[in-house]
Amino acid sequence: MASLNITNVEKSFGHTHILKGINMDIQDGEFIILVGPSGCGKSTLMNCIAGLEDVTGGQICIEDHDITGVLPKDRDIAMVFQSYALYPNMNVRKNISFALEIRKLPKAEIEREVERVAKLLQIEHLLDRKPGQLSGGQRQRVAMGRALARHPKIYLFDEPLSNLDAKLRVEMRTEIKKLHQRLGTTIVYVTHDQIEAMTLADRIAVMKDGHIQQFGTPQEVYDNPANRFVAGFMGSPSMNFIDTELVNHEGQVCVKLLVMDQLHYLPTPSSERGLLERVGQKVVLGIRPEQITHVIPHYASNPSTFIVKAKIDVIEPTGPDTLVLVKMNEQEVNCRVEPHEAGKPGETMSLMINMSKTVFFDPITGERL
Amino acid sequence: MNTNPNRRYADITGRALLYAALGIMAIYYLLPLALMIVTSFRSMDEIRMGQLIDWPTQLNLDAWRIAWSEAQIGARSERGLQPYFINSMLITLPAVAISTLIGAVNGYVLSFWRFRGSNLFFGLLLFGCFLPFQAILLPHANVLGRMGISGSITGLIFTHVVYGLAFTTLFFRNYYVTLPGELIKAAQLDGAGFWRIFWRIILPLSTPILTVCVIWQFTQVWNDFLFGVTFSDPSSQPVTVGLNNLVNSSTGERRYNVDMAGAIIAALPTLLVYVIAGKYFVRGLTAGSVKG
Ligand SMILES: Nc1ncnc2c1ncn2[C@@H]1O[C@H](COP(=O)(O)OP(=O)(O)O)[C@@H](O)[C@H]1O
Ligand SMILES: [Mg+2]
């Protein structure tokens, strides 16, 4: 168990700058999720933490010890790779004990450790098999077993579940969460699965172009995105972005919304204080699909909800809800409604917009207002 | 199922033509070998009296005995191809082992431990694959002289290792780049160093390409004539040179049966290697990544 402090870490390959000053302070025992589009440098950052790549600048500390120049094997970090990277020529037992043998642990202790890990991950019956004889899910367990075997201070997981089918992924996700609760070890975990990120993380770091865009709890990142990129990246289906204009309407700062030739003035939430000085300017309204629903009478009287009539373009049933695609300000907007409340394409339906959680972005910089 | 009889006949005819063509080609390639074997078992009397090409009336092993241990080749005191054959073994086995092993290490470095300029290094090394060996005969003779190993078995081993490395490195490098690099990273985190990763993880995964490399190198070195005739002295000549001398140095009557037996003896080891490991050769050439 250990804290991990990453300070101004930079990494370039030749003239290509991949990491451009990464700062993360991770507490002992935290489960950190790293998300971002592919190619943004997540794996590179993991490799830098593990010592598999040398950083070009900055500092990495574990428990306040500077380990920036320390060899991977002396960092006391274990990593689970996307491809599992099991040694194909060794059986499962050997795969798990390899690191322990290199560290010259006594034979009896190695055996005990392999037994412990195998029991923890329920792979006791697989110990004598070669990786080639295992299913995807079993390989995944063995890869985790190999990482667990030497009680490292920090675990790094680089998209460990992305090669599994959907059902197995959900199972393993729960197991990893349980494992973390049991062991309490610091984990940095890369994924591009929204749900994995939200369910597992104590804190999420959203990365893009070699920068951390936002680093906060899942709820913070979801409700209070730092910029349009984070807002669009987290959440599925994605947040709706509607180009609009701020106006002063009857003493309130409102956005203009044209739905089916009917112009609406929707007041912005009072929490978004910075909007007053932007009146008359163009802004981007960010609203999540679940904030636009069918009319729920119980909520309709709420001062932050407004009802508009819209023409349905497309419907996409997902099971629990149906996504309804409509046009607002001539732009496509996703709404999440009860399946039996959803009309058919071409029909008109009343939608209830909840403005209390809307966010606003600068149309040019994409920064939150 | 195809119900149209015309189409079916067309299929059958096509197949028949294909097999006929293959059969003819097989005969074309096997006939010389068959003739050599047949002739090597005939006695000179038979050959002299009858046709040049004919079945042996009895299985006569004289030619084989003469080629192996009795023929006077050049002016040496030892007779027959035997000493040449032993020289070839003494050259080929170490040369194959050393060039394969160094090729494996080279490929390992070029795939997983890239350094500044490693691509340029690889490019230059590839150049070695296209090098016409006639071009380096004189300078290399000079090198061997300065090293004090000209005309020796050691000198020939050295020569074959150096000029085999381009190919062996290419083989291993192209095989290793198909292995997932995360394997090396995992091993590094487990605490394994450069050599331990090589011996414990990479080399055990290399069987297919090892086979290819060994067969290739064995064939190259064993069949080599140019280096063997240029860089040897009479005590270190390989069997290819011995065979050449055997065929050319007989005065008077040409002993076809002995020549044929000698040629087969000289070719036997490469033939054996192909028969034993041939299927691994094809498998190894087409082997892709070893996914764990
Ligand atoms: N060894 C390397 N040499 C050069 N470029 C690299 C190297 N490793 C990664 N990159 C580049 O760095 C960028 C980030 O890669 P990576 O960290 O793997 O992204 P991801 O966020 O998808 O894990 C990619 O554009 C990749 O091409
Ligand atoms: Mg990656």
Side-chain angles (χ1 to χ4, degrees), chain A residues 4-6 22-27 30-35 187-188 201-207 211-218 220-221 224-227 230:
Chain A
L4 173 65
N5 299 87
I6 300 168
I22 301 286
N23 287 290
M24 291 171 94
D25 287 317
I26 296 167
Q27 311 298 316
E30 261 193 309
F31 199 130
I32 300 298
I33 294 272
L34 198 57
V35 293
I187 293 179
V188 185
D202 290 324
R203 283 193 292 162
I204 296 180
V206 184
M207 224 174 131
H211 290 288
I212 302 275
Q213 305 286 320
Q214 188 170 6
F215 189 23
T217 65
E220 265 168 34
V221 172
N224 243 331
N227 54 40
V230 174

XYZ file of all heavy atoms in Angstrom, chain A residues 4-6 22-27 30-35 187-188 201-207 211-218 220-221 224-227 230:
307
model
N 0.911 7.661 -4.310
C 1.651 7.826 -5.562
C 1.522 9.278 -5.985
O 0.412 9.799 -6.098
C 1.049 6.899 -6.627
C 1.566 7.018 -8.058
C 3.032 6.626 -8.143
C 0.744 6.137 -8.986
N 2.669 9.944 -6.154
C 2.634 11.343 -6.553
C 3.352 11.522 -7.880
O 4.524 11.208 -8.005
C 3.302 12.219 -5.488
C 2.567 12.112 -4.166
O 2.859 11.226 -3.373
N 1.600 12.974 -3.967
N 2.594 12.022 -8.836
C 3.143 12.248 -10.169
C 3.204 13.754 -10.361
O 2.183 14.441 -10.254
C 2.239 11.600 -11.235
C 2.150 10.098 -10.961
C 2.764 11.864 -12.633
C 1.080 9.413 -11.764
N 1.999 15.925 -16.574
C 0.918 15.233 -15.871
C 1.122 15.416 -14.370
O 2.232 15.214 -13.853
C 0.941 13.726 -16.195
C 0.778 13.483 -17.695
C -0.121 12.992 -15.387
C -0.604 13.693 -18.223
N 0.078 15.826 -13.686
C 0.113 15.946 -12.228
C -1.018 15.142 -11.625
O -2.178 15.343 -11.983
C -0.030 17.412 -11.805
C 1.229 18.198 -12.091
O 2.250 17.998 -11.443
N 1.162 19.059 -13.094
N -0.673 14.218 -10.740
C -1.704 13.447 -10.041
C -1.192 13.137 -8.655
O -0.068 12.656 -8.503
C -1.983 12.119 -10.767
C -2.673 12.238 -12.105
S -2.703 10.641 -12.945
C -4.294 10.058 -12.439
N -2.002 13.418 -7.653
C -1.647 13.005 -6.306
C -2.642 11.948 -5.873
O -3.832 12.219 -5.752
C -1.669 14.203 -5.351
C -0.475 15.109 -5.606
O 0.627 14.562 -5.794
O -0.658 16.330 -5.662
N -2.141 10.745 -5.688
C -3.026 9.613 -5.435
C -2.788 9.131 -4.006
O -1.644 8.897 -3.605
C -2.750 8.493 -6.460
C -3.098 9.007 -7.862
C -3.549 7.251 -6.123
C -2.599 8.135 -8.977
N -3.881 9.020 -3.268
C -3.757 8.620 -1.860
C -3.564 7.118 -1.758
O -3.935 6.363 -2.653
C -5.038 9.002 -1.092
C -5.525 10.415 -1.292
C -4.516 11.418 -0.822
O -3.930 11.249 0.244
N -4.269 12.436 -1.612
N -6.332 4.332 -2.882
C -7.325 4.847 -3.824
C -7.415 3.977 -5.076
O -6.427 3.398 -5.505
C -6.960 6.278 -4.248
C -7.722 7.335 -3.483
C -7.570 8.698 -4.133
O -6.427 9.115 -4.402
O -8.582 9.343 -4.372
N -8.610 3.932 -5.649
C -8.815 3.265 -6.933
C -8.980 4.367 -7.974
O -9.995 5.056 -8.001
C -10.073 2.387 -6.869
C -10.128 1.325 -7.934
C -10.397 0.006 -7.600
C -9.897 1.628 -9.266
C -10.447 -0.988 -8.574
C -9.940 0.651 -10.239
C -10.221 -0.664 -9.880
N -7.948 4.547 -8.794
C -7.955 5.638 -9.763
C -8.222 5.078 -11.147
O -7.592 4.114 -11.570
C -6.593 6.364 -9.782
C -6.278 6.945 -8.415
C -6.575 7.444 -10.865
C -7.263 7.985 -7.941
N -9.170 5.687 -11.839
C -9.440 5.279 -13.216
C -8.899 6.351 -14.148
O -9.073 7.549 -13.919
C -10.953 5.122 -13.451
C -11.512 3.965 -12.633
C -11.253 4.974 -14.923
C -11.441 2.627 -13.301
N -8.219 5.874 -15.177
C -7.676 6.774 -16.182
C -8.453 6.513 -17.469
O -8.474 5.385 -17.954
C -6.200 6.424 -16.355
C -5.252 7.394 -17.010
C -5.266 8.714 -16.274
C -3.850 6.803 -16.991
N -9.134 7.547 -17.978
C -9.856 7.367 -19.235
C -9.386 8.415 -20.236
O -8.777 9.426 -19.868
C -11.391 7.493 -19.074
C -11.945 6.370 -18.266
C -11.747 8.835 -18.469
N -4.604 1.413 -6.715
C -4.742 0.888 -8.079
C -4.887 2.046 -9.066
O -5.632 2.989 -8.815
C -5.981 -0.032 -8.204
C -5.788 -1.304 -7.375
C -6.266 -0.377 -9.660
C -6.973 -2.258 -7.429
N -4.140 1.970 -10.147
C -4.388 2.871 -11.281
C -4.840 1.983 -12.435
O -4.173 1.005 -12.765
C -3.138 3.669 -11.695
C -3.497 4.657 -12.786
C -2.536 4.370 -10.501
N -14.269 3.573 -9.839
C -13.328 4.606 -9.421
C -13.659 5.239 -8.076
O -14.820 5.455 -7.744
C -13.293 5.702 -10.478
N -12.617 5.513 -7.308
C -12.735 6.514 -6.255
C -12.624 7.886 -6.904
O -13.372 8.801 -6.587
C -11.622 6.345 -5.220
C -11.823 5.083 -4.402
O -12.983 4.755 -4.126
O -10.818 4.427 -4.054
N -11.650 7.990 -7.810
C -11.534 9.212 -8.602
C -11.207 8.862 -10.045
O -10.533 7.871 -10.304
C -10.441 10.129 -8.030
C -10.917 10.878 -6.785
C -9.962 11.989 -6.437
N -8.674 11.485 -5.979
C -7.578 12.249 -5.949
N -7.617 13.495 -6.381
N -6.443 11.744 -5.494
N -11.690 9.696 -10.946
C -11.452 9.479 -12.372
C -10.549 10.589 -12.890
O -10.756 11.764 -12.573
C -12.781 9.507 -13.162
C -13.679 8.352 -12.736
C -12.534 9.464 -14.665
C -15.009 8.318 -13.465
N -9.542 10.213 -13.662
C -8.736 11.208 -14.361
C -9.060 11.102 -15.837
O -8.921 10.036 -16.435
C -7.255 10.961 -14.120
N -9.526 12.190 -16.429
C -9.845 12.192 -17.856
C -8.669 12.821 -18.587
O -8.244 13.932 -18.266
C -11.133 12.977 -18.152
C -11.491 12.869 -19.622
C -12.266 12.464 -17.282
N -8.149 12.094 -19.548
C -6.942 12.531 -20.226
C -7.230 12.816 -21.694
O -8.071 12.168 -22.311
C -5.929 11.391 -20.151
C -4.547 11.818 -19.794
S -3.560 10.349 -19.592
C -2.190 10.818 -20.588
N -2.642 15.733 -21.635
C -2.973 16.528 -20.445
C -4.074 15.830 -19.665
O -4.936 15.184 -20.254
C -3.495 17.920 -20.838
C -2.464 18.802 -21.418
N -1.455 19.356 -20.672
C -2.274 19.221 -22.695
C -0.687 20.093 -21.453
N -1.151 20.027 -22.697
N -4.056 16.016 -18.334
C -5.212 15.600 -17.538
C -6.232 16.723 -17.634
O -5.960 17.855 -17.254
C -4.820 15.386 -16.062
C -3.715 14.334 -15.932
C -6.045 15.028 -15.239
C -4.189 12.923 -15.880
N -7.415 16.425 -18.162
C -8.447 17.446 -18.322
C -9.185 17.685 -17.016
O -9.571 18.804 -16.710
C -9.447 17.007 -19.395
C -8.813 16.673 -20.724
C -8.358 17.911 -21.467
O -9.042 18.914 -21.458
N -7.196 17.848 -22.078
N -9.409 16.616 -16.285
C -10.119 16.742 -15.011
C -9.794 15.533 -14.164
O -9.617 14.430 -14.680
C -11.635 16.826 -15.242
C -12.403 17.140 -13.976
C -13.872 17.469 -14.241
O -14.337 17.344 -15.376
N -14.574 17.886 -13.206
N -9.692 15.754 -12.846
C -9.363 14.675 -11.942
C -10.281 14.823 -10.740
O -10.131 15.750 -9.951
C -7.885 14.800 -11.533
C -7.354 13.621 -10.760
C -7.958 12.376 -10.850
C -6.239 13.762 -9.956
C -7.452 11.288 -10.143
C -5.723 12.678 -9.257
C -6.337 11.448 -9.350
N -11.285 13.976 -10.659
C -12.230 14.122 -9.562
C -13.039 12.863 -9.355
O -12.857 11.869 -10.070
N -13.973 12.898 -8.399
C -14.810 11.724 -8.154
C -15.714 11.517 -9.363
O -15.960 12.457 -10.126
C -15.687 11.930 -6.912
O -16.596 12.997 -7.186
C -14.857 12.276 -5.687
N -16.209 10.304 -9.538
C -17.069 10.040 -10.697
C -18.236 11.026 -10.777
O -18.542 11.526 -11.855
C -17.559 8.616 -10.448
C -16.497 7.985 -9.623
C -15.925 9.065 -8.766
N -18.478 14.078 -9.532
C -17.973 15.407 -9.904
C -17.757 15.502 -11.406
O -18.193 16.446 -12.068
C -16.623 15.668 -9.233
C -16.677 16.435 -7.933
C -15.320 16.364 -7.225
O -14.285 16.331 -7.919
O -15.337 16.320 -6.001
N -17.064 14.485 -11.921
C -16.730 14.506 -13.344
C -18.002 14.457 -14.189
O -18.114 15.126 -15.209
C -15.795 13.328 -13.691
C -15.601 13.211 -15.193
C -14.461 13.489 -12.991
N -20.231 17.873 -13.062
C -19.525 19.141 -13.114
C -18.315 19.073 -14.030
O -17.196 19.315 -13.593
C -19.049 19.485 -11.697
C -19.698 20.750 -11.214
O -20.039 21.615 -12.022
N -19.847 20.857 -9.913
N -18.499 18.740 -15.276
C -17.341 18.557 -16.162
C -16.557 19.860 -16.332
O -17.160 20.930 -16.376
C -17.964 18.109 -17.487
C -19.371 18.584 -17.435
C -19.775 18.563 -15.999
N -15.256 19.737 -16.390
C -14.409 20.927 -16.471
C -14.498 21.585 -17.838
O -14.293 22.787 -17.969
C -12.959 20.552 -16.181
N -14.765 20.809 -18.865
C -14.869 21.388 -20.204
C -15.734 20.506 -21.090
O -16.184 19.439 -20.664
C -13.483 21.610 -20.824
C -12.665 20.332 -20.824
O -13.188 19.254 -21.094
N -11.378 20.448 -20.508
N -14.601 16.748 -21.573
C -14.918 15.833 -20.474
C -16.409 15.529 -20.466
O -16.832 14.376 -20.304
C -14.466 16.434 -19.125
C -14.925 15.557 -17.974
C -12.963 16.625 -19.099
